[in-house]
Amino acid sequence: AINLLKQDKFLWQVAYGQGMARYVNDLGSASLDAALDASGDLEAIPVFAAVVGYTHQWSGQFRSTASFGYINVNPTASLGPLAIENTTYSSINLVWHPTTSFRMGLEYLYGTKDTQGGADGDGHRLDFVFRYDLVR
């Protein structure tokens, strides 16, 4: 994270590696760490993941964050046509903090997914969050 202006932040993260899909949020349950190659040998699957975001503090009680994430996977053919190749994810929110223990907010999310078989899709989601910390 890089602090900007008075209380704003620019956030970013990049990861690349083989056999690390379980550490990427979108891929955690997709079994994309390793698979059999054409020779029948176990092969670690390369994954690239990046995310950027910006948090703006509107006032002492209101803040928003906008973010974008991208993931690219190079799955082996043995995983079949539904194995994930690419995903994108965007979000924007507004959070209200009237006290240090209480917050609530609304967030819109949009994502896409492409598979190695050529199928693709997208999805929209609207989340409402309510949080109260009993212990500080």
Side-chain angles (χ1 to χ4, degrees):
I2 299 169
N3 293 326
L4 302 171
L5 304 174
K6 190 172 183 178
Q7 294 180 338
D8 291 7
K9 291 182 182 178
F10 174 73
L11 309 135
W12 63 276
Q13 182 177 10
V14 175
Y16 174 79
Q18 295 182 358
M20 60 163 249
R22 69 178 165 269
Y23 300 114
V24 178
N25 192 45
D26 286 1
L27 305 176
S29 61
S31 299
L32 290 171
D33 287 324
L36 298 177
D37 64 13
S39 305
D41 296 323
L42 192 60
E43 178 183 326
I45 298 171
V47 173
F48 171 81
V51 64
V52 295
Y54 187 82
T55 299
H56 178 68
Q57 194 75 36
W58 298 102
S59 69
Q61 295 183 342
F62 288 93
R63 70 171 166 80
S64 292
T65 299
S67 68
F68 176 78
Y70 172 76
I71 296 172
N72 179 266
V73 181
N74 190 13
T76 63
S78 67
L79 290 172
L82 297 180
I84 296 171
E85 275 194 340
N86 297 294
T87 68
T88 63
Y89 190 84
S90 303
S91 69
I92 190 160
N93 63 29
L94 178 63
V95 179
W96 176 47
H97 294 258
T99 71
T100 57
S101 297
F102 172 74
R103 72 186 66 161
M104 61 191 248
L106 190 63
E107 182 171 50
Y108 170 72
L109 304 107
Y110 174 73
T112 65
K113 178 173 81 172
D114 300 314
T115 67
Q116 75 174 349
D120 60 13
D122 65 343
H124 303 267
R125 187 169 74 198
L126 190 61
D127 291 336
F128 175 75
V129 176
F130 175 89
R131 177 177 164 178
Y132 185 79
D133 297 324
L134 294 173
V135 178
R136 284 284 306 149

